[in-house]
Amino acid sequence: MNTVTMKNVEFGAGVPKICVPICGKTKEDVLEQAKIILDTPADIIEWRMDWFEQVENTASVVEMAKELREVFKETPVLATFRSKKEGGELEVSTEYYVELNYAVAKSGYVDAVDVELYTGDKEVNEL
């Protein structure tokens, strides 16, 4: 079996890993949840960007990702935008979805980005 390593966590080997989501609406909510998670045995953090009230401002999202990186220095951070049709909190245009995920990935503040396959072949390949 192939494995994937992010930071100090090897996925696909050993015991199942613990992923803890952050679903804060405000910057303060996100950071408060992050501080609580620091005291847990989480192996990876999933930041649900679709909950973040400033998600439609790419610069604010990248800044929030930067702050999460500062909190979770050695813990992998997965950035996820779940659309309404996928059970998420918000619907945005496909163009913005691609722009947002690209900006967050390019920032280097997160270790992985969850891309919805249903977004479209061209967009998924681009991301």
Side-chain angles (χ1 to χ4, degrees):
M1 177 198 280
N2 293 332
T3 64
V4 173
T5 301
M6 283 191 280
K7 298 273 184 214
N8 58 352
V9 180
E10 185 179 14
F11 297 90
V15 298
K17 307 308 184 254
I18 299 171
C19 179
V20 179
I22 293 179
C23 298
K25 291 205 176 281
T26 66
K27 175 182 171 180
E28 293 75 23
D29 292 342
V30 170
L31 292 174
E32 182 179 321
Q33 290 177 29
K35 288 177 184 160
I36 292 168
I37 292 169
L38 282 174
D39 293 328
T40 72
D43 296 303
I44 183 169
I45 306 307
E46 178 187 26
W47 177 34
R48 288 287 305 273
M49 298 182 294
D50 54 296
W51 283 77
F52 188 50
E53 67 184 10
Q54 294 182 44
V55 73
E56 295 183 80
N57 179 320
T58 306
S60 294
V61 174
V62 170
E63 180 60 32
M64 188 74 256
K66 179 182 178 186
E67 292 196 40
L68 284 172
R69 173 51 58 217
E70 291 169 3
V71 173
F72 297 110
K73 293 174 181 25
E74 295 304 317
T75 303
V77 176
L78 167 68
T80 302
F81 183 97
R82 189 80 62 233
S83 67
K84 277 266 194 205
K85 65 184 172 199
E86 295 292 331
E89 288 296 300
L90 185 66
E91 197 65 46
V92 295
S93 70
T94 300
E95 294 77 20
Y96 184 71
Y97 176 86
V98 171
E99 176 188 327
L100 174 68
N101 280 296
Y102 184 77
V104 172
K106 187 177 175 186
S107 76
Y109 297 129
V110 301
D111 301 288
V113 175
D114 181 341
V115 177
E116 293 297 325
L117 289 176
Y118 299 111
T119 302
D121 292 344
K122 176 182 169 267
E123 292 79 6
V124 170
N125 286 332
E126 181 181 331
L127 287 169

